[in-house]
Amino acid sequence: MAALPEPEAPTVHIVPMRRRHVRQVLRIEQQVYPRPWSASLFHSELALRSTRAYYIARVGRELVGYAGLMMTVDDGHVTTIAVDPEWHRHKIGTRLLLVLAREAISRGAASLTLEVRMSNRGAQELYRQFGFAPVGVRKNYYQEVNEDALVMWAHEVDRADYTELLDGIERGLPSDTVLER
Ligand SMILES: CC(C)(COP(=O)(O)OP(=O)(O)OC[C@H]1O[C@@H](n2cnc3c(N)ncnc32)[C@H](O)[C@@H]1OP(=O)(O)O)[C@@H](O)C(=O)NCCC(=O)NCCS
């Protein structure tokens, strides 16, 4: 049986995703997405080391979330982010996005972008806190659910004030985050 969240906010470990994590990643993926990625898609993403960065979040021994980044010339594209429904609203998504944003900046990103389902207001609010603003719509991007994607961008993430925004978000977290390399 999965461990339930502790009453006290636990330390969260963020770890680069490895192939051995994919089975647990899929357990979450299949719960939260109508068209889940396959194991082989995760494996091929993990093999693209120079342009991708995938992380998992762990509490104790339990994998509770994951997120991925694709780098283009000077943009970082968030390819996926998901948290075990049992762990929603425990700032796991926030911690994953913090790590992805800093990774993208360290790899030279000036902007960050992502697509999100129009109806996914919770995720949009999370992204808004990271400075993402809506800039366009991709019609019927999610064909499996007949839904448009909102395209969001955060610009000038290489500037000091964006670093301060990230530092402020981190200071607001309810418990420690340990980034393992
Ligand atoms: C989106 C998702 C990754 C957020 O992860 P999370 O760990 O629950 O998010 P956090 O706890 O870090 O949320 C941070 C803030 O974002 C906002 N937020 C997150 N989820 C929200 C929701 N369902 N409704 C309203 N606001 C929400 C809140 O402001 C929240 O702060 P608060 O809890 O103090 O109010 C998670 O809901 C998820 O996995 N959803 C299914 C997959 C998905 O939709 N991924 C995004 C695809 S683009």
Side-chain angles (χ1 to χ4, degrees):
M1 192 189 288
L4 288 172
E6 309 256 325
E8 301 260 317
T11 299
V12 178
H13 295 254
I14 308 287
V15 185
M17 190 189 292
R18 309 263 183 248
R19 284 175 67 101
R20 65 184 153 79
H21 294 129
V22 168
R23 193 173 54 82
Q24 286 172 278
V25 164
L26 291 180
R27 187 183 58 78
I28 298 174
E29 178 82 7
Q30 287 158 3
Q31 288 180 71
V32 300
Y33 287 124
R35 195 177 58 173
W37 285 12
S38 64
S40 58
L41 182 46
F42 276 104
H43 290 160
S44 61
E45 285 289 289
L46 292 178
L48 297 170
R49 301 178 72 92
S50 62
T51 54
R52 304 294 199 277
Y54 281 78
Y55 289 92
I56 61 109
R58 178 169 70 67
V59 174
R61 296 173 58 85
E62 189 181 355
L63 192 157
V64 296
Y66 53 91
L69 175 76
M70 175 176 73
M71 289 299 299
T72 57
V73 176
D74 47 18
D75 300 334
H77 192 137
V78 177
T79 59
T80 187
I81 179 165
V83 172
D84 184 333
E86 293 264 11
W87 285 88
H88 282 182
R89 308 302 285 270
H90 287 80
K91 309 283 189 199
I92 306 288
T94 298
R95 295 172 212 249
L96 285 162
L97 209 44
L98 267 174
V99 170
L100 286 195
R102 287 178 172 149
E103 174 87 30
I105 293 163
S106 77
R107 291 189 186 204
S111 302
L112 300 172
T113 186
L114 51 80
E115 292 91 18
V116 56
R117 280 205 317 277
M118 277 293 184
S119 63
N120 196 347
R121 293 297 157 88
Q124 287 166 31
E125 173 54 25
L126 168 64
Y127 304 144
R128 195 194 57 73
Q129 291 168 7
F130 279 78
F132 285 83
V135 295
V137 173
R138 284 196 223 288
K139 282 281 170 198
N140 211 23
Y141 184 77
Y142 302 100
Q143 292 172 8
E144 66 282 7
V145 287
N146 250 322
E147 197 171 345
D148 300 341
L150 188 64
V151 182
M152 300 183 82
W153 282 86
H155 290 298
E156 300 186 328
V157 300
D158 49 348
R159 291 170 56 123
D161 49 357
Y162 194 77
T163 301
E164 282 165 23
L165 173 79
L166 298 183
D167 292 348
I169 291 171
E170 183 163 40
R171 280 195 298 275
L173 291 173
S175 65
D176 291 343
T177 309
V178 178
L179 176 58
E180 297 174 14
R181 292 286 178 186

